[in-house]
């Protein structure tokens, strides 16, 4: 019923990001506010990625620092450091690889920027399932 399942736990020292995490985990009911959950999930992912980049001095070697490019840089860093298994990287790499695929960059960005893109609770749960291990690795 919530965006982030109760059994998923991470410790987030960044206050605002932690507040968003708890709102997604404990407060927002997907069936009641799917648009709010979608937008807040997008914000949570990007702020978490930005924080990881800063904490770990990850170079984002792209002209445009889009969410897609930042996630790719973080995944490359995690791969080199063994922070995430190859298996756990596959759904995240697939999500950022194909802009026509209904995944991270298209759905989460479209939920924010496309008035005709309507998230469902099932869409959001599927996105979360693809990203959960990645989020866990962002906040070890």
């Amino acid at each position: 019923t919530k965006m982030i399942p109760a059994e998923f736990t991470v410790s987030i020292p960044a206050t605002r990001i932690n507040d968003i995490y708890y709102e997604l985990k404990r407060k927002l009911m997907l069936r009641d506010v799917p648009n709010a959950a979608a937008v807040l999930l997008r914000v949570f992912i990007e702020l978490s990625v930005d924080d990881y980049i800063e904490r770990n001095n990850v170079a984002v070697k792209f002209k445009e620092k889009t969410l897609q490019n930042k996630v790719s840089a973080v995944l490359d860093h995690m791969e080199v450091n063994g922070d995430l298994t190859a298996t756990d990287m596959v759904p995240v790499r697939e999500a950022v690889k194909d802009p026509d695929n209904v995944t991270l960059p298209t759905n989460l960005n479209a939920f924010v920027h496309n008035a005709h893109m309507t998230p469902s609770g099932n869409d959001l749960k599927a996105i979360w399932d693809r990203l959960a291990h990645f989020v866990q690795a962002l906040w070890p």
Side-chain angles (χ1 to χ4, degrees):
T1 60
K2 305 287 195 299
M3 181 73 254
I4 298 176
E7 63 273 6
F8 181 89
T9 59
V10 290
S11 178
I12 301 174
T15 304
R16 178 161 184 243
I17 302 170
N18 192 57
D19 289 346
I20 293 170
Y21 163 69
Y22 278 109
E23 288 176 24
L24 288 168
K25 184 173 179 172
R26 295 185 178 161
K27 295 184 179 184
L28 294 179
M29 300 293 287
L30 281 179
R31 71 176 174 268
D32 295 337
V33 290
N35 288 296
V39 172
L40 201 55
L41 178 61
R42 167 68 165 76
V43 171
F44 174 68
I45 296 297
E46 186 148 19
L47 290 177
S48 294
V49 166
D50 289 344
D51 192 88
Y52 182 94
I53 288 168
E54 187 176 319
R55 279 184 285 121
N56 294 283
N57 298 313
V58 175
V60 181
K61 299 175 184 176
F62 297 93
K63 186 176 182 180
E64 294 181 32
K65 291 189 168 110
T66 63
L67 177 59
Q68 181 177 6
N69 292 340
K70 291 187 286 187
V71 168
S72 292
V74 167
L75 285 172
D76 291 344
H77 182 268
M78 288 178 170
E79 183 174 35
V80 167
N81 291 303
D83 297 334
L84 200 58
T85 68
T87 302
D88 289 336
M89 284 187 201
V90 169
V92 184
R93 286 207 186 275
E94 287 299 313
V96 298
K97 179 172 79 172
D98 183 359
D100 296 321
N101 196 355
V102 183
T103 55
L104 176 69
T106 55
N107 268 353
L108 292 181
N109 285 334
F111 292 151
V112 174
H113 300 290
N114 185 337
H116 304 290
M117 186 73 165
T118 304
S120 74
N122 288 337
D123 293 335
L124 296 171
K125 287 177 189 178
I127 291 170
W128 176 257
D129 288 346
R130 292 177 139 214
L131 299 178
H133 291 291
F134 176 62
V135 172
Q136 189 83 49
L138 289 170
W139 300 106

